[in-house]
Structures are given as structure tokens and as C-alpha cells.
């Protein structure tokens, strides 16, 4: 972009260029320079000293496995939320007289390119990264082919309940806004479903921890369904059936999976009338009523949304779907050794080695963090609160080592 | 003190008892790294390097002299992924790590020895070559090119060998070293944190002060 701006200035300085044109070229060059600087700011936090480089390869494996071909980069920043930002091709293709270097860069990128931001505080403990599964869900939400028309009856009932709550009919304009909110809520549940199928319990723990770290608020708003509902939808699936994730987890750790595990302070959703009043303090009256009545609707849709996410993942990348059976094997191979400072790099049986998957490492990490932290050896000099911190630091070190070396093993085996 | 054969080393890698299990992981290619009939495991070059750069600092120590730099200031860190390389120039010194994570049980110790093929090119791989029982971490290698030719190093290349020996207690039986309470000591970072233990440091400072008063 700077080269392109330099080209504008060169053109402006030529004697044959009209003054008016030259003046505009200088202004354009100035604007382009500012844009280039903004793009540099967008990159902040992506350096090797700002994000643990070990995690990038394994996450790229998730990206590739999900069929996301777009250019993507990861970064850490002092922000509250994880975020997936899209950069359209127009940021460079709309420019006049592009320099050759800009054309080369444009051609080298698969557009739109993505920037995945991870809050800096999550850097301290690798298992929190399971939430990235949700953001990657957003990146493939166009694969969601669920036809919402099949829920027309439920949708109309939701609109009628909203109108009854308001005591008036919704205008066409408000109905359009409502439709936008419904679509956004569906996308959030879809992305949670993708995170759940990619990482199983690790996603549940990371999601709960994220809600808790965000202040434990209700989470409900124009673009997001309530946090408590999202958490409940995941735990319902983790505990379903006899060979559930929950049973496997409890058998290995002695701890059953419960809804408020890892997020005990998350606010419960109040009754509909109280919620309407609460939301009315920050949203319009109509939007508050819409959000309140979207809750039962999205709960009705959730089963179909999860099924659709499962269909997409099992048809396009079945090897990436994390199952209770895989959890059983990962905990069996890696959890006790981890407590003896053996990182979950590879399982080894009769001279045959199998590298650990990222999902496996995240799940073993959470199991150790939740149920086995006391057993992780730490320095004798660390006592009291320092001891717990030292154990967490040691666990983090072991998990980062596992991510780095299992990835090296996979690259080696694949080549 | 008998050395373990390659076969015995491999058997210790699969010991069901975690207290006795030896970990060298990952072994990217076992047939290359653990040759039958020998008594060692080859280890590979890892991805992280600390390059010592020219600096304005006069001397390094950790006894609180003024203007002494922290050890971290002496190094520039580099991450070199698989497929890329780093060049060590003649007489240059840099720190590296083994690719493998190593954890020794209480009854084993190891020696790190450079591979002769590298040695013939002038590359010294390790100077602190003893690895104690209960070590857990990646080994730090102190690389120095004593030759006259720059050497290109690729992460993943076999760089050194580990020889293992049994450790016995005073009664001559395999050491258990209170395995349950054993404090596994590992390399958290390649850059050293301190040169002296606190007792030694205090003693030297006291002598220094006494000398100054004389």
C-alpha cells in the first residue's frame, strides 16, 4: 500500500500532471498511508513474542481440517472477547493504480482473510484456547444449511408472545431487526456446536471460564443468546447417553461433569418479566421483549442446529470430531503420566507411537487443571498460594511442550 | 556402573510404572535414533535457539555488581521451524535444546555426548553433559563451532547421543530416591537464571565486604 501511495506521489510530481489531479493524488497518498498504518495496527499482537508460537501450527491444522482456505492469522490483544474479523479483498482491490508489490500481496492472499484475536489473559493457560473452536465455527457458518422455515410455527408463536408482552404489533422495520437478531443467535449456537464437536468437554470448560472471566453477566443481548443457555446446551450433550463424555470424565477423574463446573458464578437467567425490565435499561423496549421471547425459540431450534453442525463436520472432516471414546483413550494414555511430568506428546504401545491431537491435549489439560492439579509436582520452595501458581505454571509449560512436539511428530509422520 | 543397551532403553520407555518409566519423546524415527546392538539413543536438534550477540556489557556475573546485565540481555531468541535452518559461524556460541522431552526416573542418569560426525566438523554440542536422575525437560545444548566453516543446522537433525546408566543407592540396589516426593528438576528456560546458589552467593559477598573493610 505504501508502494502504491509512493506511485501516486511520483505521478503527482510529474510536470505534465494537472494541479488539480496532483492535489488529489497527494490527498489519496496521504489517505493510503494512513490506511497502511491502520493495517499495521491490526497486526499488533501477532508477533512470536506476543503469542505462544507453539499453538499456531495445531490451530492451523483445525483451520485446514475444517476446509477453511482463507488466509488467517492469530494474535493476542488486551481485549475482553475472542473475535474473528474478516478483511475483504476490497481493502486493496478498490485502489487505483496498484503497485506490483500490492498486486503480488493481493494474489498471495485467499480472500477474505481472517484475523483471530485471543484475549491476552487466555495466554496464561493453554486449555482456554478450546474456545477458538467457537470462532472457527463462525468462519464456517455459511455451511449451515438448516432451513429455519421448518420452524415457522414456533417463530410465529415467538412473535406473538413478543407482541403480547409489548401490547402492540411489531412493525415491519422491527421485524427485520428481530430477524437479524435471530440469525445472529443461531450463528452463536452454531459456533458453540462446532466448538463442542471439535473439543468436547474442553470446549465446555473454556466456555464456562470465558463467561466467568467476562464478569459472569447474563450475556443476553441483541446479538448473543444468554450465557447460561449456551452453557446448558453444551452440558446437555456432554451428559447424554450411557457412554457420555461425562461418564468417561468421571471415571478417569472421580469428578462428575456439572453445569456450573468451572463457572459457578455465572448469573442465572431471571424470569421473563424481570429479564424484560433488566434488558429495557440498555435496549429499546421492543428489542428487550424480542430478546426475552427469542430465548424459548432458540432453545427449540438448538437441537436442529447442533445436528446440522454434526452433519457438516462428520461429512467433511470426521477425523476432527472429538468423541467420548477418544476422550477415554486420551485420559487413559496421558492424564496420570502428566501428573508425573510426562507431557501428552504421543501415546506409545509396543513400539508404535501415535501423536496426541490438539483436542486431546486440551482435554487432558482441563482434566489435570480441574481434578489433578494437586498431583502436579512443583518446586519445594513454592508454598501456599505460590504452590498452586507454581503447579499451574508447570502444567502450562508441559502442555505447551506437548502441543509443540506432538505437532512436530505429526509433520514428521505426514512428510 | 553398567550402561543400558538400546534394547533396555526402549523397554524402559514402555514401563507401566510411571515412577520407573523413562521418557524420551517424541522419537520421530525410532529405527534411526535407537539402533540395535548399541547403547544409546540419538536426540535431535529442537526449535528454540538463543544466540549470543555482541554487546556493550563488560562482564557478566550474578553477585550484584553495578551495571551487570541480566542474563536475558545477552541473548537474542530465535524460533526455527522444521524445514528451516540456523547458521552457526566459526567460533560462534549459541544455546539450543533437544527436540525431545526427557524425563529420567530416580534410578537412571544420562550423559549427553555429541555425535562424532558433527565433532569432525568442529561442532561442540554440550559442555554440561551429566543429566541427573529425576530430570524432566528438554536438554539445553551449548553449541560452539570450533571449526573454520559456517555450519547450517536444521531442527530435527540428530545432534547428540544419550547414554544411560543405572543409579544405585549406598546398599547397591536401584535408587528410588523417595520417588513419590522426588522433585523433578527440568530446564524451564535455556537462559540461566543464576550462577550461584544463595548460600554460596551470600558467603562470597560477605568475604568481599570483609576484604573491603581491611
Amino acid at each position: 500500500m505504501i508502494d502504491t501511495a509512493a506511485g501516486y506521489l511520483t505521478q503527482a510530481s510529474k510536470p505534465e500532471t494537472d494541479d488539480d489531479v496532483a492535489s488529489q493524488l497527494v490527498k489519496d497518498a496521504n489517505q493510503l498511508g494512513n490506511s497502511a498504518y491502520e493495517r499495521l495496527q491490526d497486526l499488533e499482537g501477532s508477533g512470536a513474542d506476543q503469542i505462544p508460537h507453539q499453538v499456531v501450527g495445531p490451530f492451523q491444522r483445525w483451520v485446514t481440517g475444517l476446509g477453511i482456505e482463507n488466509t488467517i492469522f492469530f494474535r493476542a490483544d488486551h481485549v475482553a472477547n475472542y473475535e474473528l474479523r474478516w478483511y475483504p479483498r476490497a481493502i486493496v482491490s478498490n485502489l487505483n493504480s496498484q503497485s506490483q508489490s500490492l498486486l503480488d500481496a493481493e494474489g498471495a492472499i485467499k480472500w477474505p482473510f481472517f484475523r483471530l484475536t485471543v484475549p491476552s489473559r487466555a495466554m496464561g493457560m493453554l486449555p482456554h484456547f478450546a474456545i477458538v473452536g467457537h470462532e472457527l465455527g463462525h468462519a464456517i457458518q455459511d455451511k449451515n444449511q438448516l432451513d429455519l422455515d421448518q420452524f415457522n410455527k414456533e417463530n410465529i408463536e415467538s412473535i406473538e408472545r413478543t407482541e403480547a408482552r409489548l401490547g402492540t404489533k411489531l412493525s415491519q422495520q422491527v421485524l427485520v431487526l428481530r430477524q437479524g437478531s435471530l440469525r445472529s443467535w443461531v450463528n452463536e449456537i452454531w459456533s458453540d456446536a462446532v466448538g463442542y464437536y471439535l473439543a468436547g468437554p474442553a470446549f465446555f470448560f473454556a466456555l464456562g471460564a470465558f463467561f466467568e472471566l467476562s464478569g459472569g453477566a447474563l450475556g443476553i443481548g441483541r446479538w448473543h443468546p444468554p450465557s447460561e443457555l449456551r452453557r446448558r446446551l453444551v452440558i446437555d450433550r456432554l451428559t447424554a447417553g450411557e457412554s457420555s463424555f461425562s461418564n468417561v470424565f468421571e471415571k478417569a477423574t472421580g469428578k462428575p461433569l456439572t453445569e456450573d463446573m468451572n463457572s459457578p458464578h455465572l448469573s442465572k437467567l431471571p424470569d421473563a418479566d424481570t429479564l424484560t425490565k433488566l434488558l429495557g435499561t440498555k435496549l429499546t423496549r421492543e428489542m428487550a421483549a424480542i430478546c426475552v421471547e427469542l430465548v424459548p425459540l432458540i432453545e427449540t431450534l438448538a437441537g436442529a442446529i447442533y445436528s446440522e453442525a454434526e452433519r457438516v463436520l462428520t461429512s467433511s472432516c470426521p477425523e476432527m470430531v472429538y468423541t467420548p471414546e477418544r476422550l477415554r483413550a486420551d485420559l487413559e494414555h496421558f492424564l496420570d503420566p502428566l501428573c508425573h511430568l510426562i507431557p501428552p506428546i504421543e501415546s506409545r504401545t509396543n513400539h508404535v507411537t501415535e501423536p496426541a491431537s490438539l483436542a486431546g491435549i486440551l482435554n487432558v489439560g482441563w482434566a489435570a487443571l480441574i481434578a489433578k492439579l494437586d498431583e502436579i509436582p512443583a518446586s519445594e520452595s513454592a508454598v501456599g498460594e505460590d504452590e498452586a501458581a507454581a503447579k499451574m505454571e508447570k502444567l502450562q509449560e508441559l502442555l505447551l511442550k506437548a502441543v509443540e512436539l506432538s505437532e512436530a511428530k505429526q509433520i514428521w509422520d505426514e512428510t | 556402573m553398567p550402561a543400558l543397551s538400546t534394547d533396555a532403553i526402549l523397554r524402559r520407555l514402555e514401563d507401566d510404572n510411571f515412577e520407573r518409566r523413562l521418557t524420551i519423546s517424541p522419537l520421530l524415527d525410532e529405527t534411526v535414533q535407537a539402533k540395535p546392538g548399541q547403547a544409546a539413543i540419538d536426540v535431535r536438534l529442537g526449535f528454540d535457539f538463543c544466540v549470543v550477540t555482541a554487546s556493550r556489557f563488560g562482564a557478566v556475573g550474578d553477585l550484584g555488581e553495578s551495571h551487570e546485565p541480566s542474563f536475558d540481555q545477552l541473548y537474542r531468541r530465535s524460533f526455527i521451524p522444521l524445514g528451516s535452518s540456523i547458521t552457526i559461524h566459526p567460533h560462534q556460541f549459541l544455546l539450543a535444546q533437544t527436540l525431545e522431552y526427557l524425563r529420567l526416573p530416580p534410578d537412571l542418569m544420562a550423559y549427553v555426548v555429541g555425535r562424532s560426525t558433527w565433532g569432525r566438523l568442529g561442532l561442540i554440542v554440550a559442555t554440561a553433559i551429566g543429566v541427573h536422575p529425576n530430570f524432566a525437560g528438554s536438554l539445553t545444548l551449548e553449541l560452539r563451532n570450533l571449526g573454520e566453516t559456517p555450519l547450517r543446522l536444521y531442527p530435527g537433525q540428530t545432534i547428540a547421543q544419550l547414554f544411560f546408566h543405572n543409579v544405585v543407592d549406598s546398599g547397591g540396589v536401584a535408587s528410588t530416591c523417595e520417588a513419590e516426593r522426588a522433585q523433578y528438576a527440568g530446564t524451564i528456560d535455556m537462559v540461566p537464571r543464576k550462577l550461584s546458589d544463595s548460600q554460596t552467593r551470600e558467603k562470597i559477598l560477605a568475604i568481599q565486604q570483609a576484604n573491603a573493610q581491611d
Side-chain angles (χ1 to χ4, degrees), chain A residues 13-26:
Chain A
S13 67
K14 287 181 179 170
E16 65 269 24
T17 305
D18 289 344
D19 285 354
D20 288 350
V21 174
S23 175
Q24 188 58 47
L25 283 168
V26 170

Side-chain angles (χ1 to χ4, degrees), chain A residues 53 333 336-337 340-343 345-346 348-353 377-380 393-394 397-398 401 404-405 408-409 411-413, chain B residues 10 13-14 18-19 21 23-30 44 47-48 79 82 97 99-101 103 136 138 156 181 183-184 187-188:
Chain A
H53 56 77
H333 282 126
D336 282 339
H340 290 79
L341 300 189
I342 302 172
I345 298 167
E346 58 183 352
R348 182 181 180 86
T349 314
N350 297 328
H351 300 303
V352 177
T353 54
S379 164
E380 270 177 345
E393 192 180 338
K394 175 56 78 176
E397 181 193 324
L398 291 166
K401 186 58 89 175
E404 178 178 44
L405 297 184
K409 170 81 174 160
I411 292 171
W412 196 270
D413 288 351
Chain B
L10 290 175
L13 295 177
E14 295 190 358
F18 298 130
E19 304 292 357
R21 183 183 291 181
T23 299
I24 309 169
S25 180
L27 281 180
L28 296 181
D29 192 337
E30 196 171 299
R44 300 175 187 273
F47 312 107
D48 293 298
F79 169 76
L82 277 174
Q97 283 190 313
L99 185 148
E100 294 81 3
Y101 179 91
R103 200 211 62 161
S138 292
R181 295 197 301 110
Q183 291 301 308
Y184 289 96
T187 311
I188 294 170

Side-chain angles (χ1 to χ4, degrees), chain A residues 165-323:
Chain A
R165 185 167 291 284
L166 289 166
T168 180
K169 283 272 184 193
L170 295 178
S171 68
Q172 195 56 39
Q173 191 184 2
V174 173
L175 280 171
V176 170
L177 292 177
R178 178 188 175 278
Q179 194 59 23
S181 293
L182 174 58
R183 175 47 65 188
S184 176
W185 282 35
V186 167
N187 286 339
E188 290 302 320
I189 301 296
W190 158 270
S191 298
D192 283 351
V194 171
Y196 162 75
Y197 286 114
L198 286 177
F203 177 71
F204 168 72
F205 293 129
L207 188 69
F210 170 67
F211 290 151
E212 189 104 345
L213 285 169
S214 304
L218 296 173
I220 183 172
R222 186 174 169 189
W223 308 117
H224 285 84
S227 303
E228 188 200 356
L229 172 64
R230 292 171 61 186
R231 186 182 67 173
R232 177 151 45 83
L233 292 173
V234 181
I235 190 74
D236 283 351
R237 277 144 191 88
L238 290 171
T239 53
E242 276 190 20
S243 56
S244 65
F245 280 114
S246 180
N247 287 342
V248 173
F249 189 86
E250 184 174 0
K251 197 172 173 190
T253 65
K255 294 204 173 192
L257 290 183
T258 55
E259 185 173 347
D260 65 348
M261 205 171 192
N262 221 31
S263 55
H265 304 108
L266 184 62
S267 300
K268 299 272 184 193
L269 211 56
D271 63 80
D273 290 342
T274 310
L275 183 59
T276 308
K277 281 181 195 159
L278 270 174
L279 290 177
T281 60
K282 55 177 183 175
L283 299 173
T284 64
R285 193 167 156 267
E286 287 88 355
M287 191 47 73
I290 286 169
C291 288
V292 169
E293 294 304 337
L294 278 181
V295 174
L297 175 62
I298 205 74
E299 209 163 346
T300 306
L301 300 180
I305 299 169
Y306 269 80
S307 296
E308 175 63 4
E310 184 181 17
R311 184 194 66 76
V312 168
L313 293 189
T314 49
S315 61
S316 60
C317 48
E319 72 288 350
M320 292 186 68
V321 176
Y322 200 67
T323 61

Side-chain angles (χ1 to χ4, degrees), chain B residues 7-71:
Chain B
D7 187 47
I9 295 169
L10 290 175
R11 267 190 278 124
R12 290 297 293 266
L13 295 177
E14 295 190 358
D15 201 313
D16 288 335
N17 181 352
F18 298 130
E19 304 292 357
R20 279 179 49 82
R21 183 183 291 181
L22 167 68
T23 299
I24 309 169
S25 180
L27 281 180
L28 296 181
D29 192 337
E30 196 171 299
T31 54
V32 169
Q33 291 177 258
K35 295 185 182 72
Q38 295 189 349
I41 293 273
D42 285 357
V43 287
R44 300 175 187 273
L45 194 58
F47 312 107
D48 293 298
F49 296 84
C50 283
V51 182
V52 182
T53 53
S55 76
R56 61 189 172 85
F57 302 118
V60 178
D62 71 344
L63 293 181
E65 300 281 342
S66 60
H67 308 304
E68 277 182 358
S70 72
F71 295 136

